[in-house]
């Protein structure tokens, strides 16, 4: 399984670097790409960086069941709060009322 995460991390890492290079080059030279497509590419850049970090972490914890469980739990929390930021705000307000 470690080999799978390694290969996947290498491919996604390469594609992420290509995306970063494209976006920085476009910022300098302006290729004339429509702004809505650029918005999607910027969003993909953010998720690609998280995906590379997640895959490298999965490679690290591969074969270590307890660490893998904890790591996946932490990843799930990050992804949930990325997609539902209002959930984080409501949890913080709920904790403030308890404390």
């Amino acid at each position: 399984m470690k080999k799978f995460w390694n290969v996947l991390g290498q491919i996604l890492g390469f594609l992420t670097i290509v995306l970063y290079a494209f976006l920085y080059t476009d910022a300098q030279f302006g290729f004339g790409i429509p702004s809505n497509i650029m918005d999607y590419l910027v969003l993909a850049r953010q998720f690609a960086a998280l995906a590379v970090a997640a895959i490298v972490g999965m490679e690290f914890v591969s074969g270590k069941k307890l660490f893998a469980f904890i790591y996946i739990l932490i990843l799930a929390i990050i992804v949930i709060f990325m997609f539902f930021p209002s959930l984080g705000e409501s949890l913080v307000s709920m904790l403030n009322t308890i404390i």
Side-chain angles (χ1 to χ4, degrees):
M1 194 67 176
K2 194 168 191 158
K3 183 73 173 166
F4 168 75
W5 293 116
N6 185 15
V7 170
L8 191 61
Q10 289 175 358
I11 292 170
L12 190 60
F14 176 78
L15 292 175
T16 301
I17 293 299
V18 169
L19 180 61
Y20 267 87
F22 175 76
L23 289 173
Y24 287 137
T25 305
D26 179 64
Q28 291 295 319
F29 299 110
F31 297 137
I33 297 172
S35 64
N36 60 345
I37 293 175
M38 291 304 293
D39 292 340
Y40 288 125
L41 289 176
V42 168
L43 186 63
R45 177 183 65 184
Q46 293 172 339
F47 286 117
L50 176 64
V52 169
I55 289 172
V56 169
M58 286 301 295
E59 181 183 358
F60 178 70
V61 298
S62 181
K64 304 168 186 140
K65 292 182 182 180
L66 179 62
F67 290 128
F69 175 74
I70 293 169
Y71 183 73
I72 290 171
L73 188 65
I74 292 170
L75 264 175
I77 291 169
I78 291 169
V79 170
I80 288 170
F81 286 152
M82 281 180 70
F83 284 106
F84 305 106
S86 61
L87 177 66
E89 294 170 5
S90 64
L91 285 175
V92 168
S93 66
M94 185 175 64
L95 285 174
N96 285 336
T97 59
I98 292 172
I99 297 174

